[in-house]
Amino acid sequence: MDLIPRIMNLDIAATEDNLLEALRRASSQDAAILKPAEAKLREWEVQPGFYSALLNIIATHDLDLNIRWMAVLYMKNGIDKYWRKSAPNAISEDEKTLIKRGLISSFNEPVNQIATQRAVLVARIARIDCPKEWEELLPTLLQMVLSNDILIQHRSILTLQHVIKSISSRRLMGDRRIFQDFTTNIYSFIVNLWNTFTDLFISNICQNENVELTISNLEKAVLTLKILRKLTVYGLNRPHENRACLDFLKVLFDKTKSALECRKQLKGKGIYVLELCEKYINHSTKVLISLLENHPFSFVSLIHSSLEFTMYYLFTPEGIQYTYERFSIQCFNIIKGILHCNEYKPGKNVQSMKYSEMVHARDIKLNFFQPNILTEICRRLVTHYFILNQDELDMWDTDPETFANDEIGDSWKYSLRPSMETVFVTMFHEFRDILAPVLLDLIRETSGLVPPEDMPGILKKDAVYNAVALAAFDLYEEVDFDQWFTTTLSEELKIKHNNYRIIRRRVSVLMGKWAGIKLSPKLRPSLYECVINLLSCQEDMAVRLTASSTLRFAIDDFEFDAEQFKDYLEASFNLLFQLLKEVSECETKMHILNVMTLIVERVGHTIQPHSDALIQYLPLIWKESDDHNMLRCAIVSTLVQLVKALGTVVPELTPFLMPIIMLGTDPKQSAIVYLLEDSLELWLTVLENSSCITNELIQLFDNVPSLLDYSTEAFNLCITICSVHTLLAPELVMRSHGVQIMTVCNNMMADMKNEGIMSILRVAELYLRASPSLGAETVLPILPRIFEGVYEGEKYPMVMSMYITVVSRVLISSHTVFSQVLSRLASVHNESEEIVMSKILRVWLLKMPNVSQTEQRKVMALALANLLTIVSRPTMEMFGNIMIQILEALNDVTKTDENGIISDCLVLNRDRSPSYFYEETDGLCETEHDQRKKQLIYTDPVHTIVLKEYFQSQMFSLKNQLGLPQYEQLLSLVDADTMSQLKEYISF
């Protein structure tokens, strides 16, 4: 039974009670009540009057809050789906007018959450309709902003902020011009509002006035500041040329300073008002950062003021007392933005029209960063900001895994560290000559062994070591790391006092950073020993996790020597495995797995004796990672390297591998979004290292047709998988999936780039090589397109070479299939088969001299020789050109060795095994697939048929077919020079 009657053409008021009931049920936690109500509301959402009824409910303040909340959510979703005129079931123009009028007729919503959602509703409509189809919106909002009613004024400013946020993001030139005109008209007005509300809340706080009044003025000051940010960044083409904008930016620093002083007074007077004040301060700095990012030349006049401002609050005792973490982060981001800004680096942009402005900006920056200031910043960063604080040390004690994760991932979550470390690195790199001596002095100051009980000394040394790690690339010439490592760092690692864990962890980081920069190969064994000792440190997981990261850096280096690492492989791999079992966080497991995977990749088959435990454990961690797709990606990557290292698919892995590959490559599974690329890589690796086909592998191949068109990345891997599958079981694969694969590929080729077409053609050629007669039938779906390409004279040389190669192999493999395709093409062009064959052969002979690969030229020559005995008018007419091309191929493949023996250089013999023609994989062990590729050479006509002998045989057959008179007449068509050269190969 319906909850309420259909809304269509009914009076809104008559249905309101029933709609209220549906919304009430839709807010229920009981699925039995919720689902039917949602279904009914979905049915009604396309009916006229539905959204007008929702608006009435939203505007009725005495209704249950949950019902009003559901109404506003349904209305918001409906506007997204049905407001545009082009949308199916679009809301009628009359109802739109009614809704727009209702939304701006009242600004007295008492509930903040509902008021915010109403403002969002207005903004979403404004993005589509304003100003052309909602001219009254902005004038109404600006009028209501001046209301004497505090609530109405607040709600109108809130709505204006969301509207400006929405329309400022439009990027069409016409929309941007309209927004810029609007900005010019209202900018001064908004600046005055912001000034007024800012002065009011500062006055409220200083005079300790009513908290509610303070909150109201603070909220409005924040909203107007947000509006000004959007107007400044997106509404002004050159903000520094707008007088009102300059006035705003000039006083912004002073207002922010006043707000920081107010914040200090607000401590202990309520969380919300304190958070509001911080929000105001944060957004003030966000205005500066946004201006710097979007209008760097408009920011030039603010560079000095901004640096003075940030220096005061970050690096002076007087300023630091006013700061808090978020504000400090923003200050560091301002400094970072100025240092990073390319527009302030004229040396890189000499041709720029704004070169003089760039030089001016650079000069301001350099004039500020005098040596004494840089020295003070560097020392302050290291000795104040880099010091581990008590919160971080507490986290280390209570949750070492999370603590280590932050640093392993190169970012300290919810902390100042990323910003200040980035500023340090950027500043050090730009002012290296000034700052390197400062850091070297700090190294000397902390060079002695610190007593374990001296925690301040330990923390300072940790901070200095951190700075040296961050600046490693710029200190390459300044620090003798070998000596430092052998005389000091390695000794510090031996001190086992609990406080020294801080030093041990930081020394580990240092070793990781410098391993790939400046560490002698002879010291690498010592480094491995240090890492193993750190990994063995059972009492401190944070140190062990950092050591695992150090090992990753040491192994992932171009100077890594697997032979040198062999003695440390078992210990490090086992310790990492033990750590993997102990950690619980998904991110940590991923990190350790990545390190282990890298080890497997770098040492190859050497890992085999140590892999059993990991093979047993991976299925368990897979089960635990059901909700962690990124961890599953790491597991699949580990499996790829493990299978490669083992060189075979061991029985213990098979039941685990196949379901994973199936899950990650099945388009019906949601996991494909995360796992596809890694799963395809695993699938390919399994195939390359399998000795025979299995039912599971055949079942997996069912996924290939739908995956080919899934994505570009998937296509490339799928095509490779098709090739590897084919060589594993040629006839089975071709009979089960070959025609389907070729059909899908044929449908895709019309929209493909040349690289993709080449990949498909290589698979087609492989089918013809792996099983010539069956291959010709298998590639039949794609042959008309290939023959058509030759017929039309394909422009891209490499594609044309492959087209002719495939046509040649079809001709060699099956005259029946060749004739069948020829007949189909003749029918399409409404021409005789002779004419079509003549055009194809003419293009073939014209393009064959451009083919660079000797193997392809020989295939074409074999096919031309084969064609000689299919006596036809096109063959006889072009006999002279056919002889020339066969002669050129003979010249290419016929070689004389040092003993004077003449042979076909592409044919297998005692001196030429398949390996002679096979390009070896660089330094890698040969896979089962590599062996199969070599075996294919044994049956390939290119490597089994001597072109000279086959040509001789075909000429004898032709002579017998035609009879001597006609045969000699045919030979007379060949020019004397060609005939003379041919006689060096065969007798006529």
Side-chain angles (χ1 to χ4, degrees):
M1 182 176 177
D2 284 355
L3 289 171
I4 65 173
R6 290 167 69 84
I7 291 178
M8 185 182 290
N9 299 324
L10 295 179
D11 179 67
I12 293 174
T15 64
E16 198 165 287
D17 289 345
N18 295 320
L19 181 54
L20 284 169
E21 178 62 16
L23 291 169
R24 185 185 66 78
R25 289 170 175 259
S27 64
S28 171
Q29 300 298 312
D30 187 342
I33 298 172
L34 170 70
K35 296 295 183 185
E38 286 180 337
K40 185 54 68 177
L41 287 166
R42 278 196 300 272
E43 179 186 331
W44 290 337
E45 69 182 16
V46 296
Q47 302 300 330
F50 179 68
Y51 296 101
S52 302
L54 287 178
L55 186 58
N56 283 346
I57 290 169
I58 296 166
T60 307
H61 299 164
D62 56 356
L63 286 174
D64 180 77
L65 181 59
N66 286 334
I67 291 176
R68 295 176 66 217
W69 182 254
M70 291 303 299
V72 80
L73 292 182
Y74 270 95
M75 189 162 186
K76 194 166 67 171
N77 292 336
I79 285 171
D80 287 343
K81 292 197 297 189
Y82 304 117
W83 193 267
R84 293 187 183 277
K85 295 176 182 179
S86 58
N89 303 304
I91 300 169
S92 70
E93 293 303 312
D94 289 342
E95 188 171 2
K96 285 183 185 179
T97 302
L98 190 66
I99 290 169
K100 287 189 284 191
R101 191 180 303 137
L103 283 170
I104 60 173
S105 63
S106 172
F107 291 93
N108 61 348
E109 172 56 55
V111 181
N112 281 331
Q113 297 96 319
I114 301 291
T116 301
Q117 293 304 317
R118 277 192 66 136
V120 172
L121 282 174
V122 174
R124 292 192 178 183
I125 296 171
R127 183 171 172 80
I128 301 169
D129 283 6
C130 186
K132 294 181 181 178
E133 296 182 42
W134 202 359
E135 294 178 358
E136 65 273 24
L137 171 62
L138 293 170
T140 301
L141 289 174
L142 293 173
Q143 181 184 351
M144 300 308 294
V145 162
L146 297 174
S147 171
N148 291 324
D149 186 298
I150 293 176
L151 181 63
I152 291 175
Q153 185 183 54
H154 181 279
R155 299 311 189 218
S156 57
I157 295 174
L158 174 67
T159 307
L160 180 64
Q161 184 260 319
H162 279 280
V163 167
I164 287 177
K165 178 182 177 182
S166 180
I167 64 177
S168 70
S169 63
R170 295 192 296 201
R171 291 291 172 261
L172 292 178
M173 190 59 69
D175 293 331
R176 292 176 65 180
R177 196 175 296 114
I178 291 170
F179 185 65
Q180 287 171 0
D181 291 342
F182 170 71
T183 298
T184 303
N185 292 330
I186 72 159
Y187 198 91
S188 295
F189 172 70
I190 301 297
V191 169
N192 289 333
L193 281 176
W194 167 75
N195 255 320
T196 300
F197 295 130
T198 299
D199 290 343
L200 282 171
F201 90 72
I202 290 171
S203 173
N204 296 153
I205 293 170
C206 290
Q207 297 174 20
N208 203 20
E209 292 184 4
N210 182 283
V211 173
E212 288 186 7
L213 183 61
T214 303
I215 287 174
S216 175
N217 287 322
L218 245 175
E219 287 179 335
K220 287 182 279 192
V222 170
L223 289 171
T224 50
L225 190 54
K226 287 182 176 181
I227 292 171
L228 282 171
R229 184 170 79 92
K230 293 296 182 183
L231 295 178
T232 303
V233 173
Y234 301 110
L236 298 175
N237 195 31
R238 295 173 66 85
H240 63 287
E241 294 179 357
N242 184 287
R243 185 73 254 167
C245 178
L246 284 176
D247 292 341
F248 160 62
L249 294 170
K250 196 176 295 182
V251 300
L252 184 62
F253 293 102
D254 291 332
K255 301 289 186 187
T256 308
K257 289 177 182 177
S258 298
L260 283 160
E261 291 169 3
C262 289
R263 177 189 172 274
K264 196 171 182 183
Q265 296 181 45
L266 285 172
K267 288 186 176 179
K269 293 188 179 180
I271 299 266
Y272 182 66
V273 68
L274 181 65
E275 288 178 347
L276 257 182
C277 188
E278 290 182 355
K279 188 180 287 187
Y280 179 91
I281 297 164
N282 296 343
H283 218 82
S284 296
T285 54
K286 195 178 284 188
V287 170
L288 296 172
I289 292 169
S290 297
L291 183 66
L292 173 58
E293 290 174 349
N294 293 278
H295 300 281
F297 291 113
S298 292
F299 192 83
V300 171
S301 62
L302 300 173
I303 292 175
H304 188 82
S305 303
S306 299
L307 290 173
E308 275 194 335
F309 177 84
T310 53
M311 272 294 294
Y312 175 76
Y313 285 106
L314 291 175
F315 299 110
T316 68
E318 298 81 12
I320 286 175
Q321 63 178 314
Y322 293 103
T323 61
Y324 56 96
E325 187 167 77
R326 183 63 197 168
F327 173 67
S328 296
I329 290 171
Q330 293 289 79
C331 286
F332 275 116
N333 287 341
I334 290 171
I335 299 173
K336 179 180 70 175
I338 292 170
L339 290 170
H340 275 179
C341 186
N342 286 326
E343 284 77 6
Y344 302 161
K345 298 175 182 177
K348 296 183 179 180
N349 301 275
V350 179
Q351 304 301 322
S352 173
M353 294 176 64
K354 299 195 177 214
Y355 185 73
S356 60
E357 293 180 58
M358 299 169 81
V359 170
H360 180 51
R362 180 202 59 191
D363 290 344
I364 294 172
K365 183 176 71 171
L366 294 180
N367 286 335
F368 180 85
F369 286 117
Q370 294 296 312
N372 61 320
I373 290 178
L374 287 168
T375 299
E376 177 61 23
I377 291 174
C378 182
R379 280 193 163 271
R380 221 46 179 134
L381 277 168
V382 176
T383 61
H384 176 73
Y385 286 101
F386 282 13
I387 299 288
L388 287 172
N389 59 45
Q390 192 56 50
D391 289 341
E392 290 167 334
L393 292 172
D394 290 343
M395 178 181 280
W396 188 337
D397 287 329
T398 58
D399 191 358
E401 190 173 337
T402 301
F403 174 81
N405 272 344
D406 289 338
E407 182 134 310
I408 285 170
D410 296 324
S411 66
W412 290 66
K413 297 172 186 172
Y414 317 117
S415 126
L416 194 55
R417 287 196 174 272
S419 299
M420 65 189 184
E421 289 183 353
T422 302
V423 166
F424 174 80
V425 171
T426 307
M427 195 173 285
F428 202 95
H429 185 68
E430 186 161 348
F431 303 104
R432 178 189 172 282
D433 291 342
I434 296 170
L435 295 180
V438 178
L439 191 50
L440 291 173
D441 283 343
L442 286 168
I443 294 173
R444 282 189 286 271
E445 288 174 18
T446 56
S447 60
L449 285 177
V450 181
E453 296 78 15
D454 181 6
M455 185 57 97
I458 286 173
L459 291 175
K460 182 178 179 181
K461 175 168 278 202
D462 174 76
V464 172
Y465 282 9
N466 184 21
V468 176
L470 291 169
F473 285 101
D474 289 302
L475 288 173
Y476 178 83
E477 298 293 342
E478 312 292 337
V479 174
D480 183 347
F481 190 78
D482 284 1
Q483 183 182 9
W484 195 21
F485 173 66
T486 53
T487 59
T488 303
L489 300 179
S490 58
E491 293 303 311
E492 288 176 326
L493 289 175
K494 296 174 183 177
I495 301 174
K496 302 303 182 183
H497 192 282
N498 185 56
N499 288 348
Y500 247 74
R501 61 183 177 157
I502 296 170
I503 300 295
R504 289 198 299 273
R505 186 181 69 93
R506 190 61 69 187
V507 169
S508 181
V509 173
L510 266 174
M511 292 190 303
K513 289 285 186 179
W514 282 82
I517 298 174
K518 195 178 183 182
L519 181 71
S520 299
K522 64 181 181 181
L523 288 179
R524 284 183 171 271
S526 299
L527 182 142
Y528 298 142
E529 287 177 11
C530 290
V531 171
I532 288 171
N533 288 333
L534 290 168
L535 286 171
S536 306
C537 178
Q538 294 297 323
E539 73 276 9
D540 201 311
M541 182 175 286
V543 172
R544 294 163 69 198
L545 287 170
T546 304
S548 68
S549 188
T550 302
L551 188 58
R552 180 190 67 191
F553 285 119
I555 291 173
D556 194 18
D557 180 64
F558 70 93
E559 288 190 351
F560 174 75
D561 183 348
E563 189 64 31
Q564 194 181 44
F565 183 67
K566 187 184 292 184
D567 293 339
Y568 309 96
L569 173 60
E570 181 177 5
S572 59
F573 201 75
N574 289 342
L575 287 166
L576 284 169
F577 179 65
Q578 185 60 41
L579 186 58
L580 179 65
K581 291 194 292 183
E582 290 179 34
V583 297
S584 57
E585 295 291 330
C586 172
E587 187 178 351
T588 326
K589 289 181 182 290
M590 282 176 56
H591 163 72
I592 299 168
L593 265 179
N594 288 336
V595 179
M596 297 181 77
T597 302
L598 183 62
I599 291 175
V600 173
E601 182 181 356
R602 298 307 297 268
V603 304
H605 286 307
T606 314
I607 200 67
Q608 289 180 1
H610 318 296
S611 60
D612 288 348
L614 185 60
I615 291 172
Q616 298 300 321
Y617 183 66
L618 285 174
L620 298 176
I621 193 174
W622 179 268
K623 287 180 182 177
E624 295 171 0
S625 63
D626 194 31
D627 297 325
H628 302 289
N629 289 302
M630 297 313 294
L631 176 55
R632 288 199 154 184
C633 289
I635 295 170
V636 178
S637 296
T638 303
L639 287 168
V640 170
Q641 296 304 327
L642 199 54
V643 173
K644 284 181 179 179
L646 295 174
T648 185
V649 182
V650 295
E652 298 92 328
L653 270 178
T654 304
F656 177 47
L657 291 173
M658 298 307 162
I660 288 178
I661 300 172
M662 181 63 79
L663 176 70
T665 59
D666 184 355
K668 301 184 188 70
Q669 299 288 339
S670 59
I672 194 172
V673 176
Y674 304 95
L675 298 176
L676 178 59
E677 191 170 350
D678 291 315
S679 297
L680 286 172
E681 190 69 40
L682 178 58
W683 186 358
L684 178 60
T685 304
V686 168
L687 286 169
E688 288 177 336
N689 291 279
S690 293
S691 57
C692 61
I693 196 75
T694 63
N695 290 333
E696 292 87 353
L697 289 173
I698 288 293
Q699 289 170 5
L700 272 180
F701 206 72
D702 291 338
N703 291 341
V704 170
S706 54
L707 286 174
L708 281 168
D709 202 17
Y710 188 84
S711 69
T712 305
E713 293 77 13
F715 171 79
N716 293 330
L717 278 168
C718 282
I719 280 293
T720 308
I721 285 169
C722 287
S723 300
V724 180
H725 249 296
T726 300
L727 285 190
L728 187 57
E731 296 197 356
L732 179 59
V733 170
M734 278 191 265
R735 290 188 192 282
S736 60
H737 294 91
V739 172
Q740 185 184 13
I741 295 296
M742 286 293 103
T743 302
V744 171
C745 288
N746 181 55
N747 294 335
M748 295 172 66
M749 281 178 75
D751 301 318
M752 272 192 166
K753 293 182 179 179
N754 290 323
E755 291 80 5
I757 293 171
M758 287 293 291
S759 297
I760 291 172
L761 293 174
R762 289 189 192 101
V763 174
E765 186 192 16
L766 182 64
Y767 284 172
L768 290 161
R769 291 178 64 201
S771 180
S773 57
L774 180 58
E777 295 173 6
T778 304
V779 300
L780 190 55
I782 209 169
L783 288 180
R785 185 181 296 277
I786 294 173
F787 275 60
E788 181 78 38
V790 181
Y791 176 91
E792 295 290 346
E794 161 66 40
K795 299 293 188 293
Y796 188 61
M798 291 182 68
V799 172
M800 175 56 88
S801 297
M802 279 302 296
Y803 276 167
I804 301 174
T805 301
V806 172
V807 170
S808 299
R809 286 193 179 275
V810 169
L811 183 58
I812 293 169
S813 303
S814 172
H815 287 180
T816 303
V817 171
F818 185 88
S819 300
Q820 190 177 340
V821 181
L822 206 62
S823 175
R824 188 181 303 178
L825 197 59
S827 176
V828 169
H829 288 279
N830 197 25
E831 295 174 340
S832 69
E833 290 184 29
E834 251 188 15
I835 291 174
V836 171
M837 181 60 197
S838 180
K839 289 183 178 179
I840 288 176
L841 192 54
R842 187 172 291 111
V843 173
W844 180 341
L845 295 170
L846 180 66
K847 299 294 184 180
M848 190 170 162
N850 299 330
V851 177
S852 58
Q853 289 190 15
T854 308
E855 289 85 352
Q856 287 184 333
R857 289 173 62 80
K858 181 174 177 180
V859 167
M860 294 172 190
L862 288 170
L864 289 173
N866 182 288
L867 198 60
L868 291 176
T869 53
I870 307 174
V871 178
S872 65
R873 187 172 60 83
T875 307
M876 299 302 105
E877 286 177 349
M878 290 177 239
F879 183 78
N881 280 338
I882 290 173
M883 292 296 105
I884 291 172
Q885 295 309 320
I886 292 176
L887 171 63
E888 291 297 329
L890 281 167
N891 289 337
D892 287 339
V893 302
T894 305
K895 304 295 179 185
T896 304
D897 64 17
E898 60 275 10
N899 298 318
I901 298 173
I902 301 172
S903 65
D904 188 321
C905 68
L906 293 180
V907 173
L908 293 164
N909 58 33
R910 284 184 310 174
D911 301 321
R912 302 189 199 113
S913 69
S915 298
Y916 182 84
F917 303 104
Y918 182 73
E919 187 176 339
E920 296 292 344
T921 311
D922 294 340
L924 298 176
C925 295
E926 196 172 71
T927 65
E928 297 279 356
H929 177 63
D930 293 325
Q931 289 287 350
R932 289 190 285 270
K933 285 168 78 174
K934 288 183 180 181
Q935 288 300 311
L936 185 63
I937 292 171
Y938 281 113
T939 58
D940 191 334
V942 172
H943 300 294
T944 56
I945 296 175
V946 178
L947 177 58
K948 183 183 79 164
E949 295 175 358
Y950 182 69
F951 179 42
Q952 178 74 80
S953 171
Q954 287 296 96
M955 290 301 291
F956 280 152
S957 297
L958 180 62
K959 183 177 181 179
N960 292 334
Q961 279 182 260
L962 295 178
L964 186 59
Q966 194 173 347
Y967 176 68
E968 289 179 345
Q969 185 180 353
L970 198 60
L971 292 179
S972 69
L973 299 176
V974 183
D975 67 88
D977 184 49
T978 302
M979 201 67 186
S980 172
Q981 292 185 57
L982 283 172
K983 286 178 179 178
E984 295 178 12
Y985 291 106
I986 64 171
S987 59
F988 290 93

